[in-house]
Every structure is written in structure tokens, then in C-alpha cells.
Amino acid sequence: MKNQLDSIKETLLMGPGPSCVYPDIYTALSKPTIGHLDPKFISIMDEIKDFLKQIMNTENSLTIPVSGTGSAGMETCFVNTIEPGDKVLILINGVFGMRMQDVAGRLGAEVDTVEFEWGTPAIPENVKEQLEKKDYNLVAVVHAETSTGVKNPVAEIGELVKDTKAFYLVDTVTSLGGIPVEVDAWNIDIMYSGTQKCLSCPPGLAPVSFSDRAVQKILDRKTKVPNWYLDLSMIVNYWEGSTRAYHHTAPINMLYGLYQALYCILDEGLESVFKRHQEAHLALVRSLDKLGIEMLVEPEFRLPMLNAVKIPDGVDEASVRKKLLEEHQIEIGAGLGPLAGKIWRIGVMGHTARVENIERFAKALAATL
Ligand SMILES: *Cc1c(COP(=O)(O)O)cnc(C)c1O
């Protein structure tokens, strides 16, 4: 019988995710599956929580990976902390801000937005004005907007939200493991991430963290969390305490993968990992400049791990992506929404973020153009 998996070739993943996977993670994924209540596995879970706290810079005891991709992390954060009628403010400058608006709206929240031009960051002054107009239960923003390559001023906005009674919710799916994320110092109450971007693990888990104040809000809910699978008040009984209770079977081998990903990052050192991302990003900008290709975002707001680049005039963008994949085994991403057909999104995330990968890509792009 023919097996399709035999013909999978390794691809240099330079799109908006997934990113290339560290070889050690493939080894970790193939370790023997053990029981989800085996003491050895519980000990691995405990260290994962500890590793996550180090990478997120938080003391939050509710810091765990949710079973599901980054979007499950988003859903977990909103579904646990919002009740119908809650007043929610979402800052939008790309696709993932819009997705937050959709998720919060489905939960019966009263959702307001402050919108900013795609390709530019959220402006704290505008957020301040809106916070003075109305009392909110929750304010949400995306740290690294993967649809545009913009870094939002999460720390500055956190200073503003701190002076109100609102919870501060931040999407760190693309930022975590590529640039600093300071949950406690930035007054973040609720955050989620994903494994497939700068953590360089295959898609499938969503690390989340909740401050004690946010945990209290969950405990004080008047209504049950309207989603059984993502209800943290039940999930914590599996992730915390001296005896652990079954909720759903943990994705054992994916958690080995996450353990190894966090191990690799902490072993290399967070500072070196961030530096590696920045160096690869600068190498990319230089090689694109040589080809006459411009960046969408102003230098000070650029994300190192997600580069939005303007497609040169007269170039058929889809056929360039197709050729890169077919002839060079390199994947890059297309633009989304209003930026479709206008930009490519070039990911420099996690294990991909190495100057030698940039050089290989630059050669392939030059040949293709
Ligand atoms: C990728 C991404 C998500 C969604 O993650 P999935 O793993 O695709 O579910 C959410 N937010 C941002 C900013 C992302 O880049």
C-alpha cells in the first residue's frame, strides 16, 4: 500500500505560521505515550507550567497550556471571563483584533472598538480617550498583529487600563518566544499564545495565563462558563493540586513537544533567542532592500518575526509563492483582508530565525523574480 507520508519533504517555513520545528522537538514527540495521570507525566506538566511562567515573566499560578491551537487560547480567555452584557473594548488594527471582536460578540458582550489603520500601531492617546468615555469590564489588544507585521504598544496601553476596573487581555500568539512578553510588569490580567509561531512546536497547544484577579472573576461568575471543554474552573483540577482529576485526556505527546520547545528556548537563553530573531529580521530587510522590495511598516513598529513586504509592481504574487514552494521548498504567506494582493508575509519565527535561512530565501526570491 502506498503511504502518502513517505513523500513529505522538509519545507523552510517562512510564512505566518507554522514555523520550522526544532529537531529535538520531533524526537520529543516520538517518545512513548504514557498515562495522563502517570506521576511522571504530572511532573512534566508541573515543569511546563514553570517554564511558561519564565517565558511569560509572570508569577500567575494559573499558567497552563490549553488543548487546541492559538484560537482555542483566544476562546478560552474570552469565554471564561466574559458574561452576557459585559462591556468590552477591542483595539483593532488587523485580522486578529477582528477575530477577538467576533469571539466577544458571540458571548453576548457589549463590544466597542477603537480601530487603527492596518500597518500602523494602536495609539495609546485614542485608547485613553475611549476609556474616559465609558467604564469597561475588559480591554483587549493583539501584541504582534500577524496580519500586518505591526507591534502594538502593549506596555503603554497596560498603564492606561491599570487605572480603570477593566481586565487587560493580550494576544501574544506571535510575540511569545520572539520578543519580550512581560505579563506582570505590563499589568496583563489575561493572555494566550500558541505553539506554532515563535515557540517552533507544531500547532496544537495554546499557553494561557490568568492573574489572581482574573481567576477571582471566573470564580465569582453568575453564570456557568458556556463552553464545557474550555471551562478553566474544571480544567485547573487536572493542572493543579496534590491530587489530579480527569477532565479531558491531555494530548500527551504534544505536551512532550511543548516541554522540549520551552526547554530549547530557556537553554539557549531568552536574550539570545530575541537577538537571533532581530538579526535574522535585519538580514531579511537588507536582502529585500537589495532587490528593491520595501517594508509595509515603519521601522520602530516592525515585528522581527513577521515581515510585511510590499509586492513589487507588475509581479504576480501568487505565482511567486507557488514557485518558491515548488522549486525551492520555501513557504511564505499572502496578505489578508485589505492587504490581500498587496503584501507578502515573511515569517522569521523560532527555529526559522537564522541568517542562513534568510540567505537561502533571498537567493530563491531573486531567482524567482
Ligand atoms: C496565528 C494567530 C492566532 C491563531 O492561532 P491558530 O494557531 O491559528 O489558531 C491568533 N492570534 C494571532 C496574533 C496569530 O498570529
Side-chain angles (χ1 to χ4, degrees), residues 69-71 74 96 99 142 144 146 171 173-174 192 196-197:
T69 64
S71 304
M74 183 187 290
F96 292 100
R99 188 175 291 183
V142 176
T146 320
D171 173 320
V173 176
T174 286
Y192 61 91
Q196 53 140 324
K197 313 267 166 110

Side-chain angles (χ1 to χ4, degrees), residues 285-298:
V285 174
R286 277 194 304 273
S287 25
L288 290 170
D289 189 50
K290 277 191 201 135
L291 295 171
I293 299 176
E294 290 171 24
M295 305 291 289
L296 174 76
V297 178
E298 290 302 316

